[in-house]
Amino acid sequence: SAVTLRDLLLALWPLAAPPALPPVRLAGLATMYYPGDGMSGPRLGCPAAARRLLGHDRHIDGLSMIATRDGPRCGTRVYVEHGRTGRGVWAHKLDTGTWSCYWPDGTRTVAGPRRCVQRGGKRGAVADLSRSVARAIGHDGRDMVRLRWHGR
């Protein structure tokens, strides 16, 4: 019988090299955030990038985005990889943060970049994930991630 192109492609598929991912640039605890969670504002922290990519800068549910204090520039496409399972998804950095500060008495509040550390608090996370990103990688809302991106 004749071998079809489909048969040939299916036979060769396992041999195809997956596309190379960018290097891991940031790793650590990530939390999940969403509009109305008490820790996020109504507007995204990267307004120019958000308007360019989305046409608006509103923080609405369903966006495939992350927030980081450190890391890539606003608007950068970031591969978010679950620390335990390795499941990953592409998202954009469209917000700044995380600004959660964990105080010695166990409470958590939003604190500016310097105030948290100067007053004895600790930053708990390297990134905040939108609900859609967290769902896509099976993130439980407070778990380890690896962030990968090209460029600076």
Side-chain angles (χ1 to χ4, degrees), residues 64-151:
S64 183
M65 67 170 194
I66 65 166
T68 62
R69 289 184 314 280
D70 307 313
R73 290 187 219 155
C74 288
T76 300
R77 199 164 165 243
V78 178
Y79 189 76
V80 182
E81 187 175 22
H82 195 289
R84 283 183 295 111
T85 67
R87 285 174 60 187
V89 66
W90 287 98
H92 283 93
K93 177 184 175 177
L94 294 178
D95 207 354
T96 57
T98 67
W99 303 114
S100 292
C101 182
Y102 296 85
W103 300 103
D105 66 1
T107 60
R108 177 178 81 136
T109 61
V110 173
R114 287 186 223 115
R115 188 170 63 114
C116 180
V117 176
Q118 287 174 346
R119 295 189 182 171
K122 290 187 178 180
R123 293 279 179 214
V126 298
D128 275 338
L129 312 180
S130 68
R131 283 198 271 212
S132 61
V133 170
R135 264 193 301 270
I137 65 171
H139 191 276
D140 66 8
R142 188 172 169 79
D143 219 336
M144 301 300 280
V145 296
R146 290 181 290 274
L147 304 179
R148 303 168 176 266
W149 66 88
H150 292 288

Side-chain angles (χ1 to χ4, degrees), residues 55-66:
H56 64 83
D57 64 355
R58 295 181 318 280
H59 186 189
I60 58 174
D61 221 3
L63 298 176
S64 183
M65 67 170 194
I66 65 166

Side-chain angles (χ1 to χ4, degrees), residues 8-78:
L8 184 60
L9 289 173
L10 287 173
L12 293 175
W13 184 259
L15 303 176
L21 288 173
V24 173
R25 306 274 183 148
L26 191 60
L29 181 71
T31 53
M32 182 175 60
Y33 79 132
Y34 51 91
D37 67 359
M39 298 298 221
S40 59
R43 301 272 175 213
L44 297 172
C46 299
R51 283 192 295 271
R52 181 174 49 83
L53 293 166
L54 305 172
H56 64 83
D57 64 355
R58 295 181 318 280
H59 186 189
I60 58 174
D61 221 3
L63 298 176
S64 183
M65 67 170 194
I66 65 166
T68 62
R69 289 184 314 280
D70 307 313
R73 290 187 219 155
C74 288
T76 300
R77 199 164 165 243
V78 178

